[in-house]
Amino acid sequence: MKDTCKTGKWTGEEERRLAEVVHELTATDPGDIVTQGVSWAAVAERVGTRSEKQCRSKWLNYLNWKQSGGTEWSKDDEMNLILRIAELNAEDESEINWDIMAEGWSSVRSPQWLRSKWWTIKRQVTNHKDLTFAGMEAAADIFSNVRVLTNMLEELSPSGTL
């Protein structure tokens, strides 16, 4: 990494500059989804404080969807990701098509972002390396039933008290 490249949290100014440069170099308008045709070397050079890899990752995994009307990730989104993966009945993760998995979300999500989120969720589970997809499917069924029960309780008691 160049000596001029920062690490850690991006500043608001860096994010603004990254978005500005990406749209300038791709001749697109703010809010347009940009995933291809970007010279990340040129972007990094014009941003000035981050590497090509940092710029690409920040754009594809965060700023691109945020500018396109994305909303913050919620616990419901996390649950939906777990359930959708469980519904695949995949033998292992290599069978997950992340491009297809990224379709149909209420908020724009990149395939790379979802895959990264999946790994984050998995790491929160004790002994996640030993967790089979069959075991995950059983856990997803339990989560689904808990969600149904929670919704039923909320309908019975909209004020939150029983």
Side-chain angles (χ1 to χ4, degrees), residues 60-158:
L60 292 177
N61 297 324
Y62 180 70
L63 285 180
N64 193 33
W65 71 263
K66 184 178 177 186
Q67 284 198 345
S68 306
T71 56
E72 293 300 318
W73 186 255
S74 69
K75 285 292 180 188
D76 276 347
D77 291 326
E78 198 165 284
M79 226 33 231
N80 284 333
L81 178 59
I82 293 167
L83 291 171
R84 287 176 69 177
I85 289 173
E87 288 170 359
L88 294 175
N89 294 320
E91 293 293 320
D92 63 51
E93 291 177 1
S94 66
E95 295 179 21
I96 299 172
N97 183 329
W98 292 102
D99 290 324
I100 293 172
M101 187 63 66
E103 296 171 358
W105 293 90
S106 60
S107 176
V108 179
R109 300 286 173 201
S110 73
Q112 300 91 336
W113 194 92
L114 283 175
R115 185 171 183 268
S116 175
K117 190 63 175 179
W118 167 243
W119 279 92
T120 300
I121 292 167
K122 272 185 51 173
R123 282 193 299 272
Q124 295 171 0
V125 175
T126 306
N127 298 328
H128 70 274
K129 292 179 181 176
D130 299 329
L131 184 64
T132 64
F133 268 66
M136 186 189 70
E137 188 173 354
D141 287 342
I142 292 168
F143 287 136
S144 182
N145 290 333
V146 167
R147 186 188 310 181
V148 168
L149 290 173
T150 302
N151 290 340
M152 288 172 61
L153 288 173
E154 287 173 356
E155 288 175 16
L156 291 173
S157 179

